[in-house]
Amino acid sequence: MIGKLRVVNSLTREKEVFEPLNPPHVGMYVCGPTVYSDVHLGNVRTFMSFDVIYRYLQFLGYKVRYVRNITDVGHLSDTGEDKISKKAKLESLEPMEIVQKYTNDFHQVMHTFNLLPPDIEPTATGHLMEQMEMIQELVDNGYAYESNGSVYFDINQFSDKFEYGKLSGRKTEDMLNQTRELDGGSDKRNPLDFALWKKAAPEHIMRWNTKWSDGFPGWHLECSVMSTKYLGEEFDIHGGGMDLKFPHHECEIAQNAGSKGKDGAKYWMHTNMLTVNGTKMSKSLGNSFLPHQLISGDHELLERGFSPMTIRFFMLQSHYASTLDFSNEALNAAQKGYMKLANGLRLIKSYEYPAGGQEDINQKQADQINKICDNCHHAMNDDFNTALAIGHLFNLVKKVNSIQAGQLKLEEIGQETFDRMKTTFISFAEDILGLRLESEISSQNLLDVILEEYKSAKEAKNYDKVDELRAKLKSEGVIVKDMKTGIDWAFEES
Ligand code: AMP
Ligand code: ZN
């Protein structure tokens, strides 16, 4: 392993050396989607960031158990209606039909962008018994109370022993001053108390009969329950978008501490937002793109469509903790960047070290290549800095291009450096960043025949034919390159 992994912990606000609680095992929980509508690109950015984190931890040799839930009950809209129930009524479907439909769509989108599936994908409705158990624990410990069939978390009692607000850095007095309205009206003892169980109004469809009432669980509860059930009372990483810090994750910590005496996760990690002209991409603001719109280009803000790997590259070109602003220019630049990387990747995959080579090693070149490989590791070790890692991969692309142009010979760098360069390039691009080659040339043989024809036309100085063949290949996204070393080709980069 090269250097130590450091992660920024939202709880301590420090960059800390990553030390798992039970190595080589790592438990990671990420809040998943509420499956009442299509996922938009903002959501994709958050899940992609954790996909790379999952991939890198595995690359480092950890045995990761990655849990990402599906919220299928309890997430209320601004008007206090369950988001899934509301959609089910609107579409005259069973709530579980809505859940299934959008879960399927979500999986499809994750697959399109080459995100690995989690190891466990639990649902809130599949864990109602466990949620009721945690509510009971909280009541028994004096941190929750029943009121008119609903059960609320008791912030006053909790604050006697613990600190509510430590993740988001909020003070209860300030929160109280900012709270104008009581959600649930007079049922609550304190406006900051949040629902663990809600008594269902007569029109509410999703409901379960418990000793408290015919009702449904509060949204924050499922994540406390499912993370600790599958990863233990203390586990390594808990993640989600920044907008979940408060109240969702703050309430989770309170529930964990109130029931188990522990905060749950050791490292809390939050991704920053995908924005459009500086405003958070969000369904409710009407500035969200659906993945298929971006791929097809069918959206008024888009000049054209972009491939899934271009979009993946675009997202990973910024660090997960920075905001990323969406624009046509940025995507056009990402397309060029991705194609450049893809060309380097294709070339390095095709190179084999020549048998019997390795006489006069150019130590300067070998050192440079080894340094670039080290830098790829350092970048990812620095709080998963994908932006920097991509920058270093481009330096490897330059070396690969020099090899292709005959300016640098494979023999010059030696077998060991060549092997390291090849494995570093492939593992960082494909295994860690999850960028795969998209443009498959439909028939390599056919390409070889056309290139042979091109070569003959050039030798015969038949320039009309040369131009015609170039144009033909260009229309297939292939650029012919006349190198000192002979004729080669590359995917078009713009
Ligand atoms: P939701 O389905 O709304 O609960 O969101 C699923 C995940 O996407 C959560 O972790 C959110 O924090 C995250 N998310 C929502 N909007 C954005 C955005 N514009 N950029 C990045 N992540 C987002
Ligand atoms: Zn959650």
Side-chain angles (χ1 to χ4, degrees):
M1 199 193 279
I2 298 166
K4 288 191 167 163
L5 171 64
R6 287 166 201 275
V7 300
V8 171
N9 189 349
S10 311
L11 194 57
T12 58
R13 293 163 188 79
E14 301 280 346
K15 194 180 277 183
E16 300 172 13
V17 173
F18 180 67
E19 279 168 351
L21 295 157
N22 182 26
H25 301 277
V26 169
M28 175 163 102
Y29 186 90
V30 173
C31 291
T34 307
V35 282
Y36 72 102
S37 67
D38 297 304
V39 278
H40 60 67
L41 276 169
N43 307 131
V44 172
R45 185 192 186 200
T46 285
F47 298 127
M48 193 183 287
S49 301
F50 286 103
D51 178 59
V52 173
I53 290 171
Y54 177 44
R55 285 165 177 272
Y56 191 59
L57 290 169
Q58 286 181 314
F59 173 80
L60 293 180
Y62 293 118
K63 296 190 181 326
V64 189
R65 181 180 288 170
Y66 174 23
V67 183
R68 187 184 64 207
N69 68 304
I70 295 280
T71 295
D72 60 354
V73 70
H75 197 171
L76 305 187
S77 69
D78 294 343
T79 54
E81 267 182 283
D82 185 293
K83 292 185 175 183
I84 288 156
S85 295
K86 190 173 168 186
K87 190 64 174 262
K89 271 189 218 156
L90 217 66
E91 297 197 6
S92 303
L93 291 172
E94 270 294 316
M96 281 301 134
E97 283 182 283
I98 295 292
V99 165
Q100 194 63 57
K101 175 173 183 293
Y102 290 107
T103 302
N104 293 347
D105 285 359
F106 171 65
H107 288 157
Q108 184 62 47
V109 170
M110 296 294 101
H111 181 72
T112 301
F113 291 107
N114 202 24
L115 274 76
L116 299 173
D119 300 292
I120 305 179
E121 195 173 45
T123 61
T125 55
H127 295 76
L128 281 161
M129 289 294 281
E130 291 89 337
Q131 295 188 66
M132 288 191 268
E133 278 168 24
M134 190 176 274
I135 296 175
Q136 192 57 54
E137 272 180 284
L138 288 167
V139 172
D140 293 344
N141 292 350
Y143 298 123
Y145 57 91
E146 195 247 300
S147 174
N148 282 329
S150 293
V151 185
Y152 293 97
F153 191 90
D154 193 332
I155 296 291
N156 284 343
Q157 287 297 322
F158 182 76
S159 301
D160 281 351
K161 192 159 169 218
F162 301 98
E163 187 189 343
Y164 181 67
K166 66 179 180 181
L167 177 70
S168 55
R170 294 171 192 229
K171 298 251 166 293
T172 39
E173 309 84 70
D174 298 342
M175 288 190 254
L176 267 177
N177 289 339
Q178 285 156 11
T179 310
R180 273 170 288 129
E181 237 270 283
L182 282 187
D183 166 25
S186 54
D187 286 354
K188 289 187 193 177
R189 292 181 188 160
N190 177 331
L192 299 184
D193 293 351
F194 57 90
L196 299 167
W197 188 261
K198 281 283 255 184
K199 181 177 173 175
E203 66 279 8
H204 196 97
I205 328 175
M206 298 177 83
R207 51 207 300 147
W208 290 265
N209 205 359
T210 65
K211 68 175 185 181
W212 302 295
S213 65
D214 197 22
F216 58 95
W219 170 39
H220 314 308
L221 190 61
E222 59 168 291
C223 290
S224 281
V225 162
M226 297 190 285
S227 59
T228 53
K229 171 164 174 144
Y230 295 110
L231 301 174
E233 290 180 5
E234 264 186 317
F235 55 94
D236 299 295
I237 299 175
H238 192 314
M242 291 266 250
D243 54 342
L244 297 188
K245 252 193 203 177
F246 188 87
H248 188 54
H249 291 163
E250 201 70 75
C251 295
E252 257 190 79
I253 292 182
Q255 291 163 160
N256 289 352
S259 61
K260 320 278 183 205
K262 293 168 186 160
D263 289 341
K266 182 173 177 187
Y267 304 95
W268 288 78
M269 296 184 68
H270 291 95
T271 56
N272 215 322
M273 297 290 109
L274 179 66
T275 57
V276 185
N277 297 323
T279 308
K280 175 190 165 187
M281 184 179 282
S282 139
K283 260 211 117 181
S284 52
L285 292 173
N287 65 352
S288 63
F289 287 85
L290 298 181
H292 71 84
Q293 291 173 320
L294 193 46
I295 294 168
S296 67
D298 182 19
H299 191 286
E300 55 183 12
L301 285 177
L302 285 173
E303 288 164 6
R304 63 184 176 105
F306 296 91
S307 77
M309 286 304 111
T310 295
I311 299 164
R312 186 164 177 123
F313 182 91
F314 161 71
M315 291 192 172
L316 299 182
Q317 256 186 324
S318 72
H319 184 245
Y320 76 84
S322 318
T323 53
L324 171 61
D325 200 47
F326 174 91
S327 71
N328 283 288
E329 300 76 60
L331 278 158
N332 280 323
Q335 159 115 353
K336 280 198 185 138
Y338 164 66
M339 292 314 289
K340 203 181 221 175
L341 198 72
N343 275 322
L345 185 58
R346 185 186 64 79
L347 281 175
I348 192 108
K349 280 181 139 181
S350 71
Y351 292 156
E352 293 300 337
Y353 194 73
Q358 201 160 348
E359 269 163 31
D360 288 328
I361 291 192
N362 179 339
Q363 201 54 47
K364 194 171 156 217
Q365 284 290 346
D367 288 349
Q368 280 177 3
I369 292 171
N370 277 301
K371 180 101 185 85
I372 301 171
C373 294
D374 287 350
N375 284 341
C376 290
H377 289 265
H378 293 318
M380 287 304 289
N381 278 344
D382 186 13
D383 195 27
F384 309 98
N385 197 330
T386 53
L388 258 182
I390 287 176
H392 296 310
L393 281 181
F394 277 133
N395 289 333
L396 279 188
V397 171
K398 280 190 200 144
K399 295 292 176 197
V400 174
N401 289 343
S402 305
I403 294 169
Q404 189 195 24
Q407 293 150 350
L408 178 64
K409 298 223 168 6
L410 288 183
E411 294 92 320
E412 275 183 76
I413 58 173
Q415 170 106 49
E416 210 176 303
T417 303
F418 169 74
D419 288 347
R420 181 152 190 239
M421 176 182 182
K422 186 167 176 172
T423 46
T424 303
F425 200 145
I426 297 173
S427 50
F428 273 75
E430 289 191 333
D431 304 340
I432 298 170
L433 297 176
L435 293 164
R436 55 168 184 235
L437 289 176
E438 273 177 329
S439 322
E440 290 301 335
I441 299 303
S442 46
S443 164
Q444 182 66 45
N445 288 345
L446 196 61
L447 185 64
D448 290 344
V449 170
I450 300 179
L451 286 176
E452 212 36 62
E453 207 182 328
Y454 176 88
K455 203 169 140 201
S456 314
K458 242 192 132 190
E459 280 164 7
K461 298 194 169 31
N462 181 351
Y463 294 116
D464 285 347
K465 185 77 182 164
V466 166
D467 288 346
E468 183 198 323
L469 290 168
R470 268 189 174 278
K472 198 181 245 171
L473 287 166
K474 193 167 189 295
S475 68
E476 294 294 319
V478 170
I479 296 295
V480 184
K481 297 180 115 184
D482 296 303
M483 320 287 293
K484 267 203 292 190
T485 44
I487 289 165
D488 208 339
W489 65 274
F491 298 122
E492 193 178 6
E493 290 178 8
S494 57

